[in-house]
Amino acid sequence: MPTQFVSEHSLAFERVGNGPQPIVFVHGGFASSRWWRPVADLLPVDEFTSYLPDLCGCGRSRRPEDSASYRVEQQVADLATLIEHLDLYNLHLVGHSLGAAIALTYATADPTRLRSLTLVSTPSPAGTPTPPEGYELLEQMRVDRGLLSQALASIMPARAPDAFFQQLVDDAQGQAPAAFTATAEALDQWRLPPEALAQLRLPVLLMW
């Protein structure tokens, strides 16, 4: 899966398959496009084309130090740029955690390109605050791989600590320093009014 870039935004993504149905998978915080590879590899390559972007500060995408670049609204703009760059229509959009917030916000802003929306462990559209002690832990995770590994293991308890899991920890540890706390701040500030959600008319699958 060769990496490609949307040059004006330094946004990296990978493409899997060459089928007529496009799917865009948006990962969450402390992650990268690698999280979606097992899913993309399960899909028939002659039926689906999967696009796996690295969000801002993650994987091979740009690594800004300003917190504004990590706001959900800015990440939605990045996603819109990618979708427009690829000229995708009638696509399936899938998001996990922070990626679900980004996908949901995109769907309320521009549903005309979407065929379906799948949201996994979506944060609250009314804001998902992190307590002060939580930010202290996030700061510690920058330098404490053991703590970071423990945090990731807690959200995937059935996953063995195998080589793939260690790669996920590597990706989390390798994200931009600002991303450790900026993504939590972004979800604290994120809001979607009920009337915007009520206007969604496409198929939506919620997974928790």
Side-chain angles (χ1 to χ4, degrees):
M1 294 184 291
T3 301
Q4 303 177 56
F5 292 89
V6 181
S7 59
E8 61 268 32
H9 285 258
S10 297
L11 192 68
F13 67 96
E14 293 184 348
R15 173 176 171 164
V16 183
N18 53 8
Q21 296 189 57
I23 307 180
V24 176
F25 291 98
V26 188
H27 66 77
F30 291 83
S32 72
S33 57
R34 193 190 312 274
W35 280 62
W36 289 115
R37 289 180 189 172
V39 179
D41 289 343
L42 290 173
L43 299 175
V45 294
D46 57 342
E47 295 183 27
F48 297 95
T49 300
S50 300
Y51 298 92
L52 288 63
D54 286 325
L55 292 178
C56 174
C58 300
R60 288 142 295 187
S61 289
R62 75 188 192 281
R63 303 165 60 81
E65 287 303 312
D66 64 300
S67 59
S69 295
Y70 297 92
R71 292 179 61 91
V72 172
E73 296 78 9
Q74 180 56 53
Q75 303 240 41
V76 171
D78 290 346
L79 176 64
T81 298
L82 173 67
I83 291 173
E84 292 168 8
H85 171 80
L86 296 170
D87 197 26
L88 300 180
Y89 286 91
N90 202 29
L91 67 99
H92 303 283
L93 183 58
V94 183
H96 169 243
S97 189
L98 171 64
I102 295 168
L104 179 57
T105 305
Y106 177 88
T108 60
D110 187 10
T112 59
R113 289 179 178 263
L114 301 185
R115 180 174 180 174
S116 73
L117 178 65
T118 299
L119 305 173
V120 185
S121 298
T122 314
S124 170
T128 304
T130 296
E133 59 270 22
Y135 283 100
E136 294 175 6
L137 285 173
L138 293 173
E139 292 282 0
Q140 187 178 347
M141 287 179 193
R142 288 181 179 178
V143 295
D144 189 336
R145 181 185 173 86
L147 180 62
L148 181 57
S149 180
Q150 181 180 353
L152 292 181
S154 70
I155 64 173
M156 53 180 97
R159 181 86 208 183
D162 56 10
F164 183 75
F165 176 79
Q166 298 305 324
Q167 289 179 317
L168 299 183
V169 178
D170 289 341
D171 290 346
Q173 192 173 37
Q175 69 180 347
F180 279 81
T181 54
T183 52
E185 293 171 357
L187 290 178
D188 188 359
Q189 298 165 357
W190 177 57
R191 300 290 187 276
L192 270 183
E195 54 269 24
L197 299 174
Q199 292 176 1
L200 282 176
R201 292 293 183 268
L202 72 163
V204 178
L205 174 63
L206 298 177
M207 302 178 67
W208 190 259

Short mmCIF file of all heavy atoms in Angstrom, two decimals, residues 90-142:
data_model
loop_
_atom_site.label_atom_id
_atom_site.label_comp_id
_atom_site.label_asym_id
_atom_site.label_seq_id
_atom_site.Cartn_x
_atom_site.Cartn_y
_atom_site.Cartn_z
N ASN A 90 -20.61 9.20 -3.45
CA ASN A 90 -21.33 7.98 -3.09
C ASN A 90 -20.45 7.07 -2.23
O ASN A 90 -20.40 5.85 -2.43
CB ASN A 90 -21.78 7.24 -4.36
CG ASN A 90 -22.95 6.31 -4.10
OD1 ASN A 90 -23.76 6.56 -3.20
ND2 ASN A 90 -23.04 5.24 -4.86
N LEU A 91 -19.76 7.67 -1.28
CA LEU A 91 -18.77 6.93 -0.50
C LEU A 91 -19.32 6.55 0.87
O LEU A 91 -20.24 7.18 1.41
CB LEU A 91 -17.48 7.75 -0.34
CG LEU A 91 -17.54 9.03 0.51
CD1 LEU A 91 -17.02 8.77 1.91
CD2 LEU A 91 -16.73 10.13 -0.14
N HIS A 92 -18.72 5.48 1.42
CA HIS A 92 -18.98 5.07 2.80
C HIS A 92 -17.93 5.76 3.68
O HIS A 92 -16.74 5.64 3.41
CB HIS A 92 -18.86 3.56 2.94
CG HIS A 92 -19.76 2.78 2.03
ND1 HIS A 92 -21.11 2.62 2.28
CD2 HIS A 92 -19.50 2.12 0.88
CE1 HIS A 92 -21.64 1.88 1.32
NE2 HIS A 92 -20.69 1.57 0.45
N LEU A 93 -18.38 6.44 4.72
CA LEU A 93 -17.46 7.13 5.63
C LEU A 93 -17.52 6.46 6.99
O LEU A 93 -18.61 6.28 7.56
CB LEU A 93 -17.85 8.60 5.74
CG LEU A 93 -16.95 9.50 6.60
CD1 LEU A 93 -15.52 9.49 6.10
CD2 LEU A 93 -17.50 10.93 6.62
N VAL A 94 -16.35 6.07 7.49
CA VAL A 94 -16.25 5.32 8.76
C VAL A 94 -15.29 6.07 9.68
O VAL A 94 -14.19 6.43 9.27
CB VAL A 94 -15.74 3.89 8.51
CG1 VAL A 94 -15.71 3.10 9.82
CG2 VAL A 94 -16.59 3.17 7.46
N GLY A 95 -15.69 6.29 10.92
CA GLY A 95 -14.83 6.97 11.87
C GLY A 95 -14.86 6.33 13.24
O GLY A 95 -15.90 5.81 13.67
N HIS A 96 -13.71 6.37 13.92
CA HIS A 96 -13.59 5.82 15.27
C HIS A 96 -13.14 6.90 16.24
O HIS A 96 -12.17 7.62 15.97
CB HIS A 96 -12.58 4.66 15.29
CG HIS A 96 -12.20 4.22 16.67
ND1 HIS A 96 -10.91 4.32 17.16
CD2 HIS A 96 -12.94 3.70 17.68
CE1 HIS A 96 -10.87 3.86 18.40
NE2 HIS A 96 -12.08 3.49 18.74
N SER A 97 -13.85 7.06 17.36
CA SER A 97 -13.47 7.97 18.42
C SER A 97 -13.35 9.40 17.88
O SER A 97 -14.32 9.94 17.36
CB SER A 97 -12.18 7.48 19.08
OG SER A 97 -11.89 8.21 20.24
N LEU A 98 -12.18 10.02 17.98
CA LEU A 98 -12.00 11.35 17.38
C LEU A 98 -12.38 11.32 15.91
O LEU A 98 -13.00 12.27 15.40
CB LEU A 98 -10.55 11.80 17.55
CG LEU A 98 -10.12 13.06 16.80
CD1 LEU A 98 -10.88 14.28 17.30
CD2 LEU A 98 -8.61 13.27 16.90
N GLY A 99 -12.02 10.25 15.21
CA GLY A 99 -12.38 10.12 13.80
C GLY A 99 -13.87 10.08 13.59
O GLY A 99 -14.37 10.54 12.55
N ALA A 100 -14.62 9.55 14.56
CA ALA A 100 -16.08 9.54 14.46
C ALA A 100 -16.64 10.95 14.60
O ALA A 100 -17.59 11.33 13.90
CB ALA A 100 -16.67 8.62 15.52
N ALA A 101 -16.04 11.75 15.49
CA ALA A 101 -16.46 13.15 15.61
C ALA A 101 -16.20 13.90 14.31
O ALA A 101 -17.03 14.69 13.85
CB ALA A 101 -15.71 13.81 16.77
N ILE A 102 -15.05 13.63 13.70
CA ILE A 102 -14.72 14.28 12.43
C ILE A 102 -15.68 13.83 11.33
O ILE A 102 -16.21 14.65 10.56
CB ILE A 102 -13.26 13.95 12.05
CG1 ILE A 102 -12.30 14.57 13.06
CG2 ILE A 102 -12.93 14.44 10.64
CD1 ILE A 102 -10.87 14.06 12.95
N ALA A 103 -15.93 12.52 11.26
CA ALA A 103 -16.82 11.99 10.22
C ALA A 103 -18.25 12.51 10.39
O ALA A 103 -18.91 12.87 9.40
CB ALA A 103 -16.80 10.47 10.26
N LEU A 104 -18.73 12.54 11.62
CA LEU A 104 -20.09 13.01 11.87
C LEU A 104 -20.23 14.49 11.52
O LEU A 104 -21.22 14.90 10.92
CB LEU A 104 -20.46 12.77 13.34
CG LEU A 104 -21.85 13.23 13.79
CD1 LEU A 104 -22.94 12.60 12.94
CD2 LEU A 104 -22.06 12.91 15.27
N THR A 105 -19.23 15.28 11.88
CA THR A 105 -19.28 16.71 11.55
C THR A 105 -19.25 16.91 10.05
O THR A 105 -19.99 17.75 9.51
CB THR A 105 -18.10 17.45 12.21
OG1 THR A 105 -18.11 17.20 13.62
CG2 THR A 105 -18.20 18.95 11.97
N TYR A 106 -18.42 16.14 9.36
CA TYR A 106 -18.37 16.22 7.89
C TYR A 106 -19.74 15.86 7.30
O TYR A 106 -20.22 16.53 6.38
CB TYR A 106 -17.31 15.29 7.33
CG TYR A 106 -17.26 15.29 5.81
CD1 TYR A 106 -16.49 16.21 5.12
CD2 TYR A 106 -18.03 14.39 5.08
CE1 TYR A 106 -16.47 16.23 3.74
CE2 TYR A 106 -18.02 14.40 3.69
CZ TYR A 106 -17.24 15.32 3.03
OH TYR A 106 -17.24 15.34 1.65
N ALA A 107 -20.37 14.82 7.83
CA ALA A 107 -21.65 14.36 7.29
C ALA A 107 -22.74 15.40 7.45
O ALA A 107 -23.61 15.54 6.58
CB ALA A 107 -22.06 13.06 7.96
N THR A 108 -22.72 16.15 8.55
CA THR A 108 -23.74 17.18 8.75
C THR A 108 -23.47 18.39 7.87
O THR A 108 -24.40 19.13 7.52
CB THR A 108 -23.79 17.63 10.23
OG1 THR A 108 -22.51 18.17 10.61
CG2 THR A 108 -24.15 16.47 11.13
N ALA A 109 -22.19 18.59 7.47
CA ALA A 109 -21.84 19.75 6.65
C ALA A 109 -22.00 19.48 5.16
O ALA A 109 -22.39 20.37 4.39
CB ALA A 109 -20.40 20.18 6.95
N ASP A 110 -21.68 18.24 4.73
CA ASP A 110 -21.71 17.93 3.29
C ASP A 110 -22.14 16.48 3.07
O ASP A 110 -21.32 15.63 2.73
CB ASP A 110 -20.34 18.18 2.66
CG ASP A 110 -20.36 18.06 1.14
OD1 ASP A 110 -21.47 17.96 0.57
OD2 ASP A 110 -19.28 18.04 0.51
N PRO A 111 -23.43 16.18 3.29
CA PRO A 111 -23.89 14.79 3.15
C PRO A 111 -24.04 14.36 1.70
O PRO A 111 -24.25 13.16 1.44
CB PRO A 111 -25.25 14.81 3.85
CG PRO A 111 -25.74 16.21 3.67
CD PRO A 111 -24.51 17.08 3.72
N THR A 112 -23.92 15.27 0.74
CA THR A 112 -24.21 14.93 -0.65
C THR A 112 -23.23 13.93 -1.24
O THR A 112 -23.55 13.24 -2.21
CB THR A 112 -24.22 16.20 -1.52
OG1 THR A 112 -22.93 16.84 -1.44
CG2 THR A 112 -25.28 17.17 -1.03
N ARG A 113 -22.03 13.84 -0.68
CA ARG A 113 -21.02 12.91 -1.21
C ARG A 113 -21.11 11.52 -0.57
O ARG A 113 -20.41 10.61 -0.99
CB ARG A 113 -19.61 13.46 -0.97
CG ARG A 113 -19.26 14.67 -1.83
CD ARG A 113 -17.85 15.16 -1.52
NE ARG A 113 -17.45 16.28 -2.35
CZ ARG A 113 -16.72 16.19 -3.46
NH1 ARG A 113 -16.32 15.00 -3.87
NH2 ARG A 113 -16.39 17.26 -4.16
N LEU A 114 -21.96 11.38 0.46
CA LEU A 114 -21.94 10.17 1.26
C LEU A 114 -23.05 9.19 0.88
O LEU A 114 -24.17 9.58 0.55
CB LEU A 114 -22.07 10.51 2.74
CG LEU A 114 -21.00 11.43 3.33
CD1 LEU A 114 -21.19 11.57 4.82
CD2 LEU A 114 -19.60 10.91 3.01
N ARG A 115 -22.71 7.92 0.98
CA ARG A 115 -23.67 6.83 0.81
C ARG A 115 -24.09 6.26 2.16
O ARG A 115 -25.23 5.84 2.35
CB ARG A 115 -23.04 5.73 -0.05
CG ARG A 115 -23.94 4.53 -0.30
CD ARG A 115 -23.27 3.58 -1.28
NE ARG A 115 -24.10 2.42 -1.56
CZ ARG A 115 -23.79 1.49 -2.47
NH1 ARG A 115 -22.67 1.61 -3.18
NH2 ARG A 115 -24.57 0.46 -2.66
N SER A 116 -23.16 6.23 3.10
CA SER A 116 -23.47 5.76 4.46
C SER A 116 -22.44 6.32 5.43
O SER A 116 -21.38 6.81 5.02
CB SER A 116 -23.46 4.23 4.52
OG SER A 116 -22.14 3.72 4.45
N LEU A 117 -22.79 6.25 6.71
CA LEU A 117 -21.93 6.76 7.77
C LEU A 117 -21.87 5.71 8.88
O LEU A 117 -22.91 5.25 9.36
CB LEU A 117 -22.48 8.07 8.31
CG LEU A 117 -21.74 8.75 9.47
CD1 LEU A 117 -20.36 9.20 9.03
CD2 LEU A 117 -22.55 9.94 9.98
N THR A 118 -20.67 5.31 9.27
CA THR A 118 -20.48 4.36 10.36
C THR A 118 -19.63 5.01 11.43
O THR A 118 -18.53 5.50 11.15
CB THR A 118 -19.80 3.06 9.87
OG1 THR A 118 -20.63 2.45 8.87
CG2 THR A 118 -19.60 2.08 11.01
N LEU A 119 -20.14 5.03 12.65
CA LEU A 119 -19.48 5.71 13.76
C LEU A 119 -19.20 4.71 14.87
O LEU A 119 -20.11 4.03 15.36
CB LEU A 119 -20.38 6.83 14.30
CG LEU A 119 -20.83 7.87 13.26
CD1 LEU A 119 -21.85 8.82 13.89
CD2 LEU A 119 -19.64 8.64 12.71
N VAL A 120 -17.94 4.62 15.28
CA VAL A 120 -17.51 3.68 16.31
C VAL A 120 -17.03 4.46 17.53
O VAL A 120 -16.11 5.29 17.41
CB VAL A 120 -16.38 2.76 15.79
CG1 VAL A 120 -16.03 1.70 16.83
CG2 VAL A 120 -16.76 2.12 14.46
N SER A 121 -17.66 4.21 18.68
CA SER A 121 -17.27 4.88 19.94
C SER A 121 -17.21 6.39 19.76
O SER A 121 -16.18 7.03 20.00
CB SER A 121 -15.91 4.34 20.43
OG SER A 121 -16.00 2.96 20.71
N THR A 122 -18.34 6.95 19.35
CA THR A 122 -18.39 8.39 19.07
C THR A 122 -18.37 9.22 20.34
O THR A 122 -19.12 8.93 21.28
CB THR A 122 -19.69 8.72 18.30
OG1 THR A 122 -19.88 7.77 17.26
CG2 THR A 122 -19.63 10.12 17.72
N PRO A 123 -17.55 10.24 20.42
CA PRO A 123 -17.61 11.17 21.57
C PRO A 123 -18.96 11.91 21.56
O PRO A 123 -19.68 11.93 20.57
CB PRO A 123 -16.45 12.13 21.31
CG PRO A 123 -15.56 11.42 20.33
CD PRO A 123 -16.46 10.58 19.49
N SER A 124 -19.26 12.54 22.67
CA SER A 124 -20.53 13.25 22.78
C SER A 124 -20.50 14.55 21.97
O SER A 124 -19.57 15.36 22.12
CB SER A 124 -20.82 13.59 24.23
OG SER A 124 -21.93 14.48 24.32
N PRO A 125 -21.52 14.79 21.12
CA PRO A 125 -21.59 16.06 20.39
C PRO A 125 -21.81 17.26 21.32
O PRO A 125 -21.74 18.40 20.88
CB PRO A 125 -22.79 15.87 19.46
CG PRO A 125 -22.98 14.39 19.36
CD PRO A 125 -22.56 13.85 20.69
N ALA A 126 -22.08 16.98 22.59
CA ALA A 126 -22.22 18.06 23.57
C ALA A 126 -20.92 18.36 24.29
O ALA A 126 -20.89 19.13 25.24
CB ALA A 126 -23.31 17.69 24.59
N GLY A 127 -19.84 17.72 23.84
CA GLY A 127 -18.54 17.93 24.46
C GLY A 127 -18.12 16.75 25.32
O GLY A 127 -18.95 16.16 26.00
N THR A 128 -16.86 16.38 25.22
CA THR A 128 -16.31 15.26 26.00
C THR A 128 -15.12 15.79 26.81
O THR A 128 -13.99 15.77 26.33
CB THR A 128 -15.88 14.11 25.08
OG1 THR A 128 -16.98 13.71 24.26
CG2 THR A 128 -15.40 12.91 25.88
N PRO A 129 -15.39 16.28 28.02
CA PRO A 129 -14.30 16.90 28.79
C PRO A 129 -13.33 15.88 29.36
O PRO A 129 -13.69 14.75 29.68
CB PRO A 129 -15.04 17.63 29.91
CG PRO A 129 -16.33 16.87 30.07
CD PRO A 129 -16.68 16.39 28.69
N THR A 130 -12.08 16.28 29.47
CA THR A 130 -11.04 15.52 30.15
C THR A 130 -10.68 16.24 31.45
O THR A 130 -10.37 17.43 31.42
CB THR A 130 -9.77 15.40 29.27
OG1 THR A 130 -10.10 14.67 28.08
CG2 THR A 130 -8.66 14.68 30.01
N PRO A 131 -10.73 15.56 32.59
CA PRO A 131 -10.41 16.23 33.87
C PRO A 131 -8.94 16.62 33.92
O PRO A 131 -8.11 16.07 33.18
CB PRO A 131 -10.76 15.17 34.92
CG PRO A 131 -10.65 13.86 34.19
CD PRO A 131 -11.08 14.14 32.78
N PRO A 132 -8.59 17.55 34.80
CA PRO A 132 -7.18 18.00 34.89
C PRO A 132 -6.20 16.87 35.09
O PRO A 132 -5.11 16.86 34.50
CB PRO A 132 -7.21 18.95 36.09
CG PRO A 132 -8.62 19.45 36.15
CD PRO A 132 -9.48 18.32 35.69
N GLU A 133 -6.56 15.88 35.92
CA GLU A 133 -5.64 14.77 36.13
C GLU A 133 -5.46 13.94 34.87
O GLU A 133 -4.43 13.28 34.68
CB GLU A 133 -6.12 13.88 37.28
CG GLU A 133 -7.50 13.27 37.11
CD GLU A 133 -8.62 14.15 37.66
OE1 GLU A 133 -8.40 15.38 37.79
OE2 GLU A 133 -9.69 13.59 37.96
N GLY A 134 -6.47 13.97 33.99
CA GLY A 134 -6.35 13.28 32.71
C GLY A 134 -5.29 13.92 31.83
O GLY A 134 -4.52 13.21 31.16
N TYR A 135 -5.22 15.24 31.84
CA TYR A 135 -4.19 15.93 31.06
C TYR A 135 -2.79 15.63 31.61
O TYR A 135 -1.82 15.55 30.85
CB TYR A 135 -4.44 17.44 31.05
CG TYR A 135 -5.55 17.84 30.10
CD1 TYR A 135 -6.83 18.10 30.55
CD2 TYR A 135 -5.31 17.93 28.73
CE1 TYR A 135 -7.85 18.46 29.68
CE2 TYR A 135 -6.31 18.29 27.85
CZ TYR A 135 -7.58 18.55 28.33
OH TYR A 135 -8.59 18.89 27.45
N GLU A 136 -2.70 15.47 32.92
CA GLU A 136 -1.41 15.10 33.51
C GLU A 136 -0.96 13.73 33.01
O GLU A 136 0.22 13.52 32.70
CB GLU A 136 -1.53 15.10 35.03
CG GLU A 136 -1.78 16.48 35.64
CD GLU A 136 -2.00 16.43 37.14
OE1 GLU A 136 -1.86 15.32 37.72
OE2 GLU A 136 -2.32 17.47 37.73
N LEU A 137 -1.91 12.79 32.90
CA LEU A 137 -1.57 11.48 32.37
C LEU A 137 -1.17 11.54 30.91
O LEU A 137 -0.23 10.86 30.47
CB LEU A 137 -2.76 10.53 32.55
CG LEU A 137 -3.01 10.00 33.96
CD1 LEU A 137 -4.31 9.23 34.01
CD2 LEU A 137 -1.85 9.14 34.43
N LEU A 138 -1.88 12.37 30.14
CA LEU A 138 -1.54 12.52 28.72
C LEU A 138 -0.14 13.08 28.55
O LEU A 138 0.61 12.65 27.67
CB LEU A 138 -2.57 13.43 28.03
CG LEU A 138 -3.99 12.88 27.92
CD1 LEU A 138 -4.93 13.93 27.36
CD2 LEU A 138 -4.01 11.64 27.04
N GLU A 139 0.22 14.04 29.39
CA GLU A 139 1.58 14.58 29.34
C GLU A 139 2.60 13.50 29.68
O GLU A 139 3.67 13.41 29.06
CB GLU A 139 1.70 15.76 30.32
CG GLU A 139 0.91 17.00 29.94
CD GLU A 139 1.58 17.82 28.86
OE1 GLU A 139 2.67 17.43 28.38
OE2 GLU A 139 1.02 18.86 28.47
N GLN A 140 2.27 12.66 30.64
CA GLN A 140 3.20 11.60 31.06
C GLN A 140 3.38 10.57 29.95
O GLN A 140 4.45 9.99 29.78
CB GLN A 140 2.68 10.94 32.34
CG GLN A 140 3.66 9.93 32.94
CD GLN A 140 3.15 9.34 34.24
OE1 GLN A 140 2.18 9.83 34.82
NE2 GLN A 140 3.79 8.27 34.69
N MET A 141 2.31 10.32 29.19
CA MET A 141 2.38 9.32 28.13
C MET A 141 3.37 9.70 27.02
O MET A 141 3.83 8.84 26.28
CB MET A 141 0.99 9.11 27.51
CG MET A 141 0.03 8.34 28.38
SD MET A 141 -1.58 8.15 27.59
CE MET A 141 -2.56 7.58 28.98
N ARG A 142 3.70 10.96 26.93
CA ARG A 142 4.68 11.38 25.92
C ARG A 142 6.02 10.67 26.12
O ARG A 142 6.71 10.36 25.14
CB ARG A 142 4.91 12.90 26.00
CG ARG A 142 3.79 13.76 25.51
CD ARG A 142 4.19 15.22 25.64
NE ARG A 142 3.15 16.12 25.16
CZ ARG A 142 3.23 17.45 25.21
NH1 ARG A 142 4.32 18.02 25.73
NH2 ARG A 142 2.26 18.20 24.74
#
